Amino acid sequence: MHAGSTPSWVIRENASTAVLLALYLREVLGIASPAELPRLRDVGRIGPESRPDVDAHDALEKQWREWWTMTVEPEEHPSSVPLELLDAYGTAVALPVSGAEALVGAIRPHAEAALAWADWAHERYRTASAARSGDSYRAYAGSIAEHEREVGRRAHSFELNVEVLPLATSGVWWIGSKTVAVTDSLRADAAAFDEAIHPIIAELA
């Protein structure tokens, strides 16, 4: 999406399968990070709640966080070592060939359920997005136009990625330098979404 030639803005909205997978696995593995991002709806931890080896879980959480930043914004956070596809996930998950051993071992048993859930959640977003038709463009263009009226100038050029996710709490959260997560229920409410996204637009534009 863009307005004008110079300056310009680009907003990409999606429910990326890779992001959905990472968040599903965050739930089933009991990963706390990122603390500010709400949990997914109707997805919980699989396996014992007790953590007999705190150090091992801390290592797992660290490796998940590194994978998360690469997943959300791969161009901003490239891996320092080559990546390798994890067979159980087809082409959906690529992890560093070294330094991610705990994560590889932990997520492999959940591949079938994780892929099925991510496919379901992505298709749910696609259906909702199609039902909104041209409203997606107007939602952002309207907020930018309002910001331009408020500040009395054209919006600065910027890029924004919007991940629409089935989170348990309604809201908008920064999950990268140019990426926000938005609850799907909030995105479905045109007036509430306009109010919620406006501060994000104002910060960038």
Side-chain angles (χ1 to χ4, degrees):
M1 303 174 192
H2 61 85
S5 54
T6 304
S8 64
W9 52 272
V10 177
I11 297 179
R12 306 175 189 88
E13 183 185 289
N14 198 5
S16 306
T17 299
V19 168
L20 290 166
L21 274 173
L23 288 178
Y24 176 90
L25 291 163
R26 170 197 187 217
E27 299 294 341
V28 301
L29 297 176
I31 302 294
S33 303
E36 68 278 6
L37 190 66
R39 315 308 294 185
L40 293 173
R41 286 194 306 271
D42 305 322
V43 178
R45 182 163 182 164
I46 295 175
E49 287 293 333
S50 60
R51 297 178 183 172
D53 190 336
V54 175
D55 290 341
H57 190 81
D58 287 348
L60 174 63
E61 185 143 346
K62 178 177 181 295
Q63 291 176 18
W64 182 91
R65 284 198 307 268
E66 292 170 351
W67 177 45
W68 172 245
T69 58
M70 285 192 298
T71 300
V72 172
E73 293 181 346
E75 294 180 359
E76 300 290 323
H77 302 280
S79 175
S80 58
V81 299
L83 299 177
E84 186 173 52
L85 291 172
L86 193 58
D87 288 345
Y89 287 85
T91 59
V93 173
L95 292 171
V97 296
S98 62
E101 291 81 6
L103 184 60
V104 169
I107 71 174
R108 183 175 278 122
H110 301 290
E112 185 176 356
L115 287 167
W117 182 87
D119 286 345
W120 169 83
H122 180 71
E123 188 57 35
R124 191 168 179 268
Y125 163 76
R126 283 171 56 87
T127 300
S129 181
R132 286 193 289 269
S133 185
D135 290 347
S136 290
Y137 176 85
R138 286 193 294 272
Y140 299 107
S143 188
I144 290 170
E146 182 182 349
H147 173 71
E148 290 178 334
R149 288 192 296 271
E150 289 174 354
V151 299
R153 59 164 175 79
R154 291 287 302 277
H156 297 308
S157 299
F158 70 90
E159 291 186 29
L160 177 65
N161 302 312
V162 179
E163 292 285 349
V164 182
L165 306 169
L167 302 172
T169 305
S170 181
V172 181
W173 297 266
W174 284 103
I175 56 173
S177 61
K178 55 184 180 183
T179 306
V180 294
V182 177
T183 311
D184 55 355
S185 57
L186 176 62
R187 183 65 185 90
D189 184 332
F193 177 69
D194 184 63
E195 183 178 350
I197 202 66
H198 189 70
I200 302 294
I201 299 297
E203 184 174 338
L204 295 171

